[in-house]
């Protein structure tokens, strides 16, 4: 098995990517999405989810044909705080040790086979308002899934990391204060949000 991850600047891009891989026959149980809480007006003011998963589908089995996006809910991930998420990666990151090097979203990504530098950039992308899509696939399907995900203009982790470093960032810091986007950024993140 191989893990393919892509971060997107908007939820709309990530949603389209998830729908594309599901239509291509990838089971919902092998797909995960983690979005900054500001993608949803309903969840934007949530500061504490008491460590409990509030979305019925997060990490669990979904009804036949429901798809991953039907299971979106709130949960807390160490280093990111409350996020809107669904799937295996979100579930694993939520139960990881609070912010430890091997815990949280970075630890879950690294454990799934993502290199550490990209894992840090993906986590920082979510912290700053992006949405992460991660797919587990048999090795022989990896190139096909990468091509599907790449159709929706994901961020280039190398270029994005360089951009972050120009601003003084060096690595994902699970203890960094929560990012507070401005209204323009919130509007971008919420583009095509279903709820």
């Amino acid at each position: 098995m191989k893990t393919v991850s892509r971060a997107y600047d908007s939820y709309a891009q990530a949603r389209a990517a998830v729908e594309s891989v599901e239509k291509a026959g990838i089971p919902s149980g092998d797909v995960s999405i983690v979005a900054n809480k500001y993608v949803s007006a309903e969840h934007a003011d949530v500061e504490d989810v008491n460590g409990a998963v509030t979305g019925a589908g997060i990490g669990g089995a979904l009804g036949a044909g429901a798809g991953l996006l039907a299971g979106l809910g709130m949960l807390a991930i160490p280093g990111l705080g409350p996020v809107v998420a669904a799937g295996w990666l979100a579930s694993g990151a939520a139960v990881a040790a609070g912010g430890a090097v091997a815990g949280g979203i970075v630890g879950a990504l690294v454990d799934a086979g993502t290199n550490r530098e990209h894992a840090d950039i993906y986590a920082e992308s979510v912290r700053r308002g992006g949405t992460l899509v991660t797919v587990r696939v048999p090795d022989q399907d990896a190139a096909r899934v990468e091509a599907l995900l790449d159709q929706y203009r994901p961020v280039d982790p190398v270029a994005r990391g360089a951009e972050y470093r120009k601003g003084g960032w060096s690595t994902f810091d699970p203890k960094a204060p929560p990012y507070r986007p401005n209204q323009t950024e919130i509007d971008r993140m919420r583009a095509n949000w279903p709820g």
Side-chain angles (χ1 to χ4, degrees), residues 169-192:
W169 179 87
S170 61
T171 190
F172 179 71
D173 180 0
K175 294 180 175 48
Y179 182 74
R180 303 282 183 201
N182 64 40
Q183 190 58 48
T184 302
E185 291 171 311
I186 289 172
D187 291 343
R188 172 194 47 83
M189 286 186 277
R190 289 186 186 160
N192 297 321

Side-chain angles (χ1 to χ4, degrees), residues 17-186:
V18 166
E19 290 171 346
S20 179
V21 297
E22 287 181 332
K23 284 178 186 171
I26 304 300
S28 295
D30 288 330
V31 184
S32 193
I33 187 168
V34 178
N36 186 287
K37 71 177 185 171
Y38 290 102
V39 300
S40 166
E42 174 187 353
H43 301 303
D45 294 331
V46 174
E47 295 301 329
D48 181 21
V49 293
N50 296 319
V53 173
T54 61
I58 297 173
L62 299 172
L68 176 78
L69 299 173
L72 284 171
M74 288 292 293
L75 78 155
I77 293 180
L80 294 176
V83 295
V84 179
W88 64 274
L89 181 78
S91 165
V95 298
V101 171
I105 193 77
V106 173
L109 284 165
V110 170
D111 287 350
T114 303
N115 79 50
R116 175 60 192 252
E117 182 180 358
H118 286 189
D120 281 331
I121 294 163
Y122 291 148
E124 186 67 16
S125 293
V126 172
R127 189 180 83 80
R128 294 186 187 202
T131 301
L132 176 66
V133 174
T134 304
V135 184
R136 292 185 299 203
V137 294
D139 291 348
Q140 67 270 17
D141 292 336
R144 178 174 65 98
V145 169
E146 288 171 348
L148 287 170
L149 294 175
D150 288 346
Q151 292 176 358
Y152 300 95
R153 299 182 328 273
V155 301
D156 174 347
V158 174
R160 188 58 54 93
E163 179 183 316
Y164 289 162
R165 283 187 281 283
K166 283 182 185 176
W169 179 87
S170 61
T171 190
F172 179 71
D173 180 0
K175 294 180 175 48
Y179 182 74
R180 303 282 183 201
N182 64 40
Q183 190 58 48
T184 302
E185 291 171 311
I186 289 172

